[in-house]
Amino acid sequence: MRLPLFGPPKPPITDALVPEEITALIRYASERGLDPQEGILGPLNDAVKKYVAASESVAKQQAASATLHLYSQLTKLTFPVNGRTLIDTEAFRLRYLSGLSAYTIIFFALALGNIILQNWLGDIVIPEEGRLRCLYNFYAYILDPLSPFIWGGLGSCVYLLKSLSDYAGDRSFDRCKLHGWHTRVWLGAILGAVMDRIFTKTGLAEEHLNLGADAIAFLTGVGVKAVYGAIDKAIDQLANMLNLKAIRGSTPPSSTTPQPGPKDTPAPDKPSVPKPDHKDKKG
């Protein structure tokens, strides 16, 4: 059994035609009057009923072809909403949002605990030994250095929750939109720590941004795509400054190219010797 912490369970393998999805889209379109001439909804509803009632393979295949043709015409009127997005939107909060919600709660609890410990430990005298000293060491050497990772991951979770909630509000949420959300969260955590290191250690944050380390990490997690694009452009500019592209373009001579050696040098011409005349000379 797959735990919801690691994402939604895989949907069962079904045919391309799902009557529940088509019926949901027919109800959605009829409630909003998206087929004013009633040239699609009625025939599509009849085609779905024939498909469900058909028992023979030939009749079922013919009904499926007619249903898919009408369904494709209806999805053109309701785009980006379709039958699958309606079904997935209904199960959005309970089924598909559980894993992302768990990550968000974990990152938020760690970030809030970090703030509480920072404020509390800053107002008391830390003893040299004891449990309070152990708690201070845990904060100073573990929790505080991990703070940029925590805030970057929290920023990614907030961005994903906002984006997916917008899709659900428009009834256009699809389970395929959840693909890769784990990678998006961890990219936000890693880039948040990297950007915090770049801006705070070099002094750029105080000169240009006037933001704290946690704020930089959180904003980086929210805008992973923009930050990654900026890093990519910076790498290209650095490559141009160091003339790395020209170095890559100039290829050294191949070792398999034959080099002129002593055997390949032509031998010097020998002096021509006159051939002796074998004819008898008469005296």
Side-chain angles (χ1 to χ4, degrees):
M1 182 177 180
R2 192 177 183 183
L3 295 177
L5 180 62
F6 300 98
K10 293 183 179 180
I13 299 175
T14 57
D15 297 332
L17 185 61
V18 183
E20 291 78 9
E21 296 180 358
I22 300 176
T23 304
L25 188 61
I26 291 174
R27 186 183 303 110
Y28 174 84
S30 62
E31 290 174 353
R32 287 160 178 77
L34 299 180
D35 186 23
Q37 298 180 358
E38 298 182 357
I40 301 177
L41 295 181
L44 179 58
N45 190 30
D46 295 338
V48 173
K49 292 180 179 179
K50 291 180 181 180
Y51 173 79
V52 175
S55 58
E56 298 180 358
S57 59
V58 177
K60 201 173 188 65
Q61 186 176 2
Q62 293 177 354
S65 300
T67 304
L68 287 175
H69 176 69
L70 294 171
Y71 180 68
S72 63
Q73 293 182 354
L74 182 60
T75 53
K76 293 179 181 179
L77 299 176
T78 61
F79 181 82
V81 179
N82 55 52
R84 185 168 67 176
T85 61
L86 293 173
I87 298 297
D88 289 347
T89 301
E90 293 297 328
F92 171 69
R93 297 181 182 276
L94 298 178
R95 182 176 181 182
Y96 297 109
L97 204 61
S98 57
L100 182 58
S101 299
Y103 273 77
T104 306
I105 292 173
I106 292 173
F107 280 119
F108 179 74
L110 291 174
L112 185 62
N114 191 11
I115 295 175
I116 294 174
L117 281 178
Q118 182 181 8
N119 294 332
W120 180 55
L121 294 175
D123 294 337
I124 62 175
V125 178
I126 307 300
E128 295 296 332
E129 297 179 354
R131 295 182 179 179
L132 192 59
R133 186 66 187 185
C134 294
L135 180 61
Y136 176 79
N137 291 336
F138 171 77
Y139 163 77
Y141 297 107
I142 297 179
L143 192 59
D144 189 56
L146 290 177
S147 180
F149 294 93
I150 296 171
W151 283 98
L154 181 61
S156 289
C157 291
V158 169
Y159 170 80
L160 290 173
L161 286 175
K162 174 64 170 59
S163 301
L164 296 176
S165 298
D166 291 341
Y167 286 123
D170 297 335
R171 309 294 294 275
S172 60
F173 171 76
D174 191 342
R175 67 177 73 103
C176 295
K177 291 182 172 61
L178 285 173
H179 292 170
W181 71 268
H182 301 86
T183 306
R184 177 65 166 76
V185 171
W186 294 117
L187 275 177
I190 295 172
L191 286 179
V194 171
M195 296 305 294
D196 166 61
R197 193 78 178 178
I198 292 175
F199 280 94
T200 58
K201 300 302 179 182
T202 58
L204 294 176
E206 298 179 357
E207 296 178 3
H208 302 283
L209 297 180
N210 195 20
L211 294 174
D214 295 339
I216 294 175
F218 180 81
L219 294 177
T220 301
V222 172
V224 166
K225 187 175 181 180
V227 173
Y228 193 83
I231 293 176
D232 199 11
K233 290 182 180 179
I235 293 174
D236 290 339
Q237 293 180 358
L238 182 61
N240 293 330
M241 291 175 57
L242 299 178
N243 202 17
L244 295 179
K245 294 183 178 181
I247 296 175
R248 293 177 181 176
S250 60
T251 56
S254 177
S255 59
T256 58
T257 305
Q259 300 294 331
K263 294 182 179 181
D264 298 329
T265 55
D269 297 336
K270 296 180 180 180
S272 59
V273 179
K275 296 182 180 181
D277 191 4
H278 296 286
K279 297 182 179 180
D280 295 335
K281 296 182 180 180
K282 296 182 180 180

